[in-house]
Amino acid sequence: MAPSPSPSPSCSSVSSSSPAMAFAVASAVCVFFSCFVSVSQAQNATTDPSEARTLNSIFNKWEISASASVWNISGELCSGRAIDSTTAVEDFNPFIKCDCSNGTCHITALRVYALDVVGEIPEELWTLTHLTNLNLGQNYLTGSLPPAIGNLTRMQYMTLGINSLSGELPKELGNLTELIVLGLGSNNFSGSIPSELGKLVKLEQLYLDSSGLSGQIPPTFASLKNLATVWASDMELTGRIPDFIGSWSKLIVLRFQGNSFEGPIPSSFSNLTSLYRVVCVTHLLVCISAD
């Protein structure tokens, strides 16, 4: 009688004289096939149709295009480097990153940095609700930020600095409670800082310098205890520097120069033992600068 064929390696059965060796081989095989299936699924998945239409519309309005050798291969947006886990969003420009883990690819990152884009941010951009990373910095974008920006509740890194955006900041920015980095500096905004930004308790870096905003620092900012970097220079901020800044124990860099603060430096600043650099020279108040 012919011998029975040896079973193929599987996650549940690997023939070996050593139980330890069997476990190691089984684990390696499982990892290999899991990775293979994951990559295959990503390659076979397609971009959400509504997101594809939205991104194509935005790029058409901005008169920019993708590099078909990098992503958008054969017209499929989420392809090539866009679904390569080893490629960072900063590696190409313009560029997107996608998550295809559920069979349909969703756009999670969009980078259009320093490409001399002119005009307003198209309204449809605020429908890309899977975005976690958005960098539109250093262009010539105009217009205001609408309340619909509050739809991007997955957002972690948002950079809109060095543009010509105007109008008041929408209070709906406070809906983006996953934000870690928010960059709005070097724009033409008006009005005060929305108190709703105090809801962004995961925020680690905040850039508002030369943004056009003015007024007092909202009391709600007392909740922003994860802040490590704050650039708020040349903003015409007024009133006293709040005592609660002394509770920002993770603060490393603080820039307050070019404002109109009054009164003494809060004694609570002595609590900022991680502070590496602080600059807050104004007409009525001078802080120590340290490197």
Side-chain angles (χ1 to χ4, degrees), residues 63-76:
E63 299 181 351
I64 57 177
S65 59
S67 172
S69 63
V70 177
W71 60 286
N72 196 29
I73 298 171
S74 300
E76 178 57 50

Side-chain angles (χ1 to χ4, degrees), residues 9-51:
S10 69
C11 292
S12 59
S13 174
V14 175
S15 177
S16 174
S17 58
S18 167
M21 179 63 72
F23 178 80
V25 173
S27 298
V29 170
C30 289
V31 169
F32 172 79
F33 280 103
S34 296
C35 292
F36 178 78
V37 170
S38 177
V39 171
S40 298
Q41 288 176 341
Q43 291 175 340
N44 294 329
T46 57
T47 312
D48 180 276
S50 64
E51 295 181 27

Side-chain angles (χ1 to χ4, degrees), residues 193 213-218 221 230-245 248 254-266 269 278-287:
I193 303 172
L213 299 172
S214 59
Q216 298 188 8
I217 298 174
F221 273 36
V230 176
W231 288 17
S233 56
D234 302 310
M235 292 179 59
E236 288 302 315
L237 293 176
T238 58
R240 292 173 176 265
I241 295 180
D243 289 337
F244 61 69
I245 290 182
W248 294 351
L254 176 64
R255 298 184 62 174
F256 269 168
Q257 72 269 29
N259 287 295
S260 299
F261 290 119
E262 60 185 38
I265 302 170
F269 269 41
V278 54
V279 181
C280 50
V281 180
T282 71
H283 294 101
L284 300 175
L285 180 149
V286 179
C287 288

Side-chain angles (χ1 to χ4, degrees), residues 130-196:
H130 288 267
L131 282 176
T132 62
N133 189 321
L134 176 64
N135 186 347
L136 305 180
Q138 203 167 319
N139 286 292
Y140 297 96
L141 297 173
T142 57
S144 59
L145 299 178
I149 196 173
N151 295 335
L152 306 184
T153 55
R154 293 180 174 89
M155 188 65 64
Q156 296 178 327
Y157 307 91
M158 177 181 282
T159 302
L160 305 176
I162 316 180
N163 279 291
S164 296
L165 298 169
S166 58
E168 297 187 358
L169 292 184
K171 67 180 188 302
E172 286 78 8
L173 276 171
N175 296 344
L176 311 186
T177 54
E178 298 298 316
L179 270 177
I180 297 172
V181 176
L182 176 60
L184 300 173
S186 297
N187 274 292
N188 299 321
F189 294 116
S190 58
S192 58
I193 303 172
S195 62
E196 287 79 6

